[in-house]
Amino acid sequence: MTDSLWYQDTVFYELYLRAYKDSNGSGSGDFRGAIEKLDHIQSLGVDCIWILPHYPSPLKDDGYDVADYYGIHPDYGSLDDFRAFLAAAHQRGLKVVIDLVMNHTSDQHPWFQAARQDRHSPYRDYYVWSDTGREYAGARIIFLDYESANWTYDEVAGQYFWHRFYSSQPDLNYDNPAVHEEMFNIIRFWLDMGIDGFRADAVPYLYEREDTNCENLPPTHAFLRKVRRMMDEEYPGRVLIAEANQWPQDLLPYFGADGDEFHMCFHFPIMPRLYMAIRRGNKQSILDILAATPDIPAGAQWLTFLRNHDELTLEMVTPDEREWMWQQYAPDPAMRSNLGIRRRLAPLIDNHKGKWLILNSILMSLIGTPIVYYGDEIGMGDNIALPDRHGCRTPMQWDDSPNGGFSPAGATYFPVNADAEYGYQRVNVAAQEDDPNSYLNATRFLLRVRRQHPELRQGQLIMLGNDDPAVFGYWRVLGDRRTLCLYNLSAEAASFSLDLRHYVGQQLVDLLHQGQTWRIAEWPIVIRLRPYASHWLHVRSET
Ligand code: GLC
């Protein structure tokens, strides 16, 4: 693997600056604070940090409403602080990817302010306007809990403007070449600063066309390919990542026919199916989505995750499956948001260590490049009393001192979680440091084993055939290296017989439970799986 393909073989850490570490007592995390915590990030064994939007913003959508693409939100520091963060991360060999919000700006962006005030302003055409608000009726509403239309009437402008998200986020008009120019300048600005790539937000929605659903349109792909071409020519080795919450067959075009669009796409649909499988004790949903996942071009890669800063999205499941997921995982309507579930990993799985290990072991060995969402490495909880998706964005819990060691301020942007089970007094980094059985050390351990075993990252994926719906297994094979990843998805013990005659004379070593070995002989090995067991069985010669 050449250096320029680094993103195919790494682990990402999703960092929410506001929540991470407050260096100056403002009650909000910032870049200087994040620098102090790079030791922690590095200790996990991740290789790349993705930071959520850091731009000046009125924060109506937590920074996904950008008011200035060239700056830093004052709560987070200055451009110099950003540079210092980047340099400190790079010094440790950590890459840094930033969010790029191309589809829309904040309504506070000077472009929109100029546009709404004057029909003849050159900025008017930066946005999408209508006299009637009736166009593009085929486009769905994404923020269903908050918006009733994709058009909002602006009194100042005397027209409706188009928005796919909050009405405080007017969509940019990609039919205007000046918008392309602006975006290219923004992209070059940050790449010149030395970042390693972009997570491009909400890319399916750049263009609108009548009689379509206004998603994944050909001109959208054409623009994105243009971005990629420029990056390849001027900034080789940097990565372009698509956030496109779509079905696998609609995702494939985002990699480009010849691998000439995005380097990476988030694989959204697999995520809810992992939760389905572990609740049903049945692997079928995972098998189905893997079967529907197409091969991707050489040089491309999936990004996989268990949770992120948004709701656990149920857009890519059937209506029946969605209903079932809500009943199982969000019995309290307050846990639901839009078409999803606004809870964190640990509470979703009832803080169950076995389920945690299964989900994380699958994440670290199945397909793609995994992402760890900040706080999930210690099993942080959520706070559904907070609005929208903020319940999963509470301060990082570093220790059991006031505010969980996050901030010396009297009041923080949102309170640190202090509930009985997940509060900072119990769940924090310091407490987990020395506990060999903690989530924190389990995360480090999984990443270490993954790093030591290239077959888990790059190997061919071969599903294990067997009849027990609860026994989920797959081989990862790379040259003569092979490891069988094996899980019992149910609360019942299972046993399973494995015919490994081809490897007689070698042994099977469990990478997840050191010391567990089996001699491989002519006859099948019987493997007994405890409820919710995880094993990575590596074939190794006896010497
Ligand atoms: C993406 C982000 C989400 C944001 C939306 C609009 O889906 O992940 O947080 O609200 O785009 O920018």
Side-chain angles (χ1 to χ4, degrees):
M1 184 160 308
T2 64
D3 266 2
S4 65
L5 296 177
W6 59 269
Y7 53 86
Q8 283 193 318
D9 195 21
T10 74
V11 178
F12 278 57
Y13 187 71
E14 182 183 351
L15 174 66
Y16 177 45
L17 277 165
R18 185 169 300 280
Y20 216 56
K21 174 70 184 167
D22 172 9
S23 74
N24 58 8
S26 68
S28 164
D30 47 51
F31 276 112
R32 293 278 162 193
I35 293 173
E36 289 172 33
K37 294 301 183 185
L38 285 172
D39 275 347
H40 169 75
I41 297 175
Q42 192 174 24
S43 82
L44 298 174
V46 302
D47 325 77
C48 181
I49 303 171
W50 153 33
I51 48 175
L52 295 181
H54 60 270
Y55 309 94
S57 160
L59 303 178
K60 296 278 175 54
D61 187 11
D62 226 347
Y64 284 98
D65 46 335
V66 178
D68 172 7
Y69 285 97
Y70 295 96
I72 301 293
H73 194 287
D75 290 353
Y76 299 158
S78 63
L79 273 176
D80 278 343
D81 295 334
F82 177 88
R83 285 193 193 93
F85 172 81
L86 191 61
H90 281 168
Q91 224 164 40
R92 292 159 190 266
L94 294 165
K95 310 244 186 213
V96 177
V97 162
I98 66 172
D99 238 292
L100 176 68
V101 190
M102 291 199 273
N103 180 65
H104 44 265
T105 68
S106 159
D107 58 6
Q108 302 306 306
H109 195 290
W111 297 339
F112 189 73
Q113 289 303 322
R116 75 199 302 201
Q117 269 148 28
D118 178 4
R119 260 177 207 252
H120 305 292
S121 156
Y123 294 109
R124 185 75 165 200
D125 202 28
Y126 274 37
Y127 296 90
V128 182
W129 302 97
S130 160
D131 289 327
T132 62
R134 295 214 192 94
E135 294 82 351
Y136 313 133
R140 69 189 166 116
I141 295 164
I142 297 169
F143 284 169
L144 276 169
D145 288 355
Y146 304 91
E147 298 292 342
S148 54
N150 289 321
W151 289 111
T152 291
Y153 189 75
D154 186 62
E155 294 285 349
V156 181
Q159 274 189 308
Y160 294 85
F161 65 90
W162 179 250
H163 57 88
R164 294 309 304 268
F165 296 92
Y166 288 120
S167 55
S168 52
Q169 291 165 299
D171 272 35
L172 286 164
N173 174 20
Y174 276 84
D175 277 316
N176 180 356
V179 169
H180 294 205
E181 270 313 297
E182 297 279 9
M183 251 336 124
F184 272 70
N185 291 339
I186 293 160
I187 291 169
R188 289 194 176 99
F189 175 81
W190 292 103
L191 290 171
D192 285 339
M193 189 108 50
I195 60 147
D196 299 287
F198 295 103
R199 176 258 194 200
D201 180 67
V203 288
Y205 317 110
L206 300 186
Y207 280 80
E208 302 71 41
R209 289 292 179 262
E210 213 48 82
D211 300 321
T212 73
N213 67 356
C214 299
E215 298 184 23
N216 314 321
L217 297 178
T220 295
H221 284 293
F223 171 73
L224 295 167
R225 279 198 301 275
K226 207 167 82 169
V227 173
R228 169 67 184 269
R229 205 174 322 127
M230 182 273 275
M231 281 178 60
D232 278 353
E233 282 166 18
E234 298 175 31
Y235 305 92
R238 318 290 180 96
V239 69
L240 191 60
I241 302 170
E243 191 229 6
N245 187 355
Q246 302 286 328
W247 291 102
Q249 68 271 19
D250 295 323
L251 275 170
L252 195 53
Y254 285 93
F255 289 114
D258 304 313
D260 58 355
E261 207 167 308
F262 284 93
H263 299 89
M264 309 184 92
C265 290
F266 288 87
H267 194 315
F268 276 93
I270 197 168
M271 180 273 300
R273 287 169 180 80
L274 298 176
Y275 290 94
M276 266 181 222
I278 203 156
R279 198 73 161 205
R280 288 189 176 137
N282 187 320
K283 64 191 165 192
Q284 197 55 44
S285 55
I286 310 178
L287 297 182
D288 291 346
I289 199 67
L290 287 173
T293 298
D295 288 337
I296 55 178
Q301 183 61 301
W302 296 110
L303 267 170
T304 54
F305 57 99
L306 297 173
R307 285 296 291 114
N308 63 17
H309 63 291
D310 288 325
E311 69 275 25
L312 187 169
T313 168
L314 299 173
E315 281 166 77
M316 296 299 127
V317 300
T318 65
D320 284 350
E321 289 171 331
R322 186 177 307 135
E323 221 21 80
W324 184 86
M325 283 289 287
W326 270 331
Q327 280 163 18
Q328 297 295 320
Y329 283 110
D332 178 346
M335 296 171 170
R336 306 177 187 183
S337 178
N338 301 316
L339 290 184
I341 299 173
R342 49 190 211 104
R343 303 182 70 195
R344 261 197 188 261
L345 173 62
L348 280 167
I349 54 171
D350 307 316
N351 222 351
H352 186 291
K353 289 244 157 128
K355 293 182 186 177
W356 186 95
L357 188 60
I358 291 185
L359 289 176
N360 280 282
S361 307
I362 293 177
L363 181 73
M364 294 304 162
S365 64
L366 186 59
I367 53 168
T369 290
I371 306 174
V372 177
Y373 181 48
Y374 92 91
D376 281 350
E377 76 270 33
I378 54 168
M380 264 169 56
D382 46 52
N383 178 358
I384 57 169
L386 298 176
D388 197 351
R389 291 152 289 171
H390 296 294
C392 301
R393 302 177 185 177
T394 56
M396 182 70 181
Q397 296 166 199
W398 295 107
D399 57 40
D400 62 3
S401 69
N403 293 330
F406 157 70
S407 164
T412 55
Y413 71 98
F414 276 133
V416 62
N417 194 350
D419 71 30
E421 187 170 6
Y422 299 101
Y424 69 93
Q425 299 90 337
R426 284 189 60 191
V427 175
N428 63 63
V429 173
Q432 294 192 16
E433 277 298 344
D434 300 324
D435 174 0
N437 296 315
S438 64
Y439 288 135
L440 176 60
N441 283 313
T443 302
R444 291 172 176 156
F445 175 71
L446 283 178
L447 292 193
R448 198 160 58 236
V449 176
R450 178 183 155 92
R451 189 180 293 262
Q452 287 160 351
H453 287 270
E455 72 275 18
L456 294 170
R457 316 188 304 259
Q458 301 160 17
Q460 197 194 346
L461 178 70
I462 303 166
M463 302 316 289
L464 178 79
N466 82 307
D467 297 335
D468 187 338
V471 175
F472 175 47
Y474 47 89
W475 288 96
R476 303 279 335 237
V477 180
L478 186 71
D480 56 6
R481 305 185 64 101
R482 54 194 68 236
T483 296
L484 173 64
C485 304
L486 193 61
Y487 312 96
N488 179 1
L489 301 174
S490 88
E492 309 291 323
S495 97
F496 169 67
S497 108
L498 190 62
D499 185 349
L500 291 176
R501 254 169 302 181
H502 289 313
Y503 310 108
V504 174
Q506 303 194 58
Q507 57 179 344
L508 211 49
V509 181
D510 191 344
L511 303 176
L512 294 185
H513 306 274
Q514 278 148 339
Q516 272 266 51
T517 56
W518 292 261
R519 290 195 65 184
I520 300 174
E522 288 287 351
W523 49 90
I525 302 176
V526 175
I527 296 179
R528 291 179 210 291
L529 297 169
R530 294 177 186 217
Y532 299 116
S534 306
H535 302 276
W536 285 352
L537 305 175
H538 179 58
V539 177
R540 186 150 73 199
S541 68
E542 298 228 22
T543 48

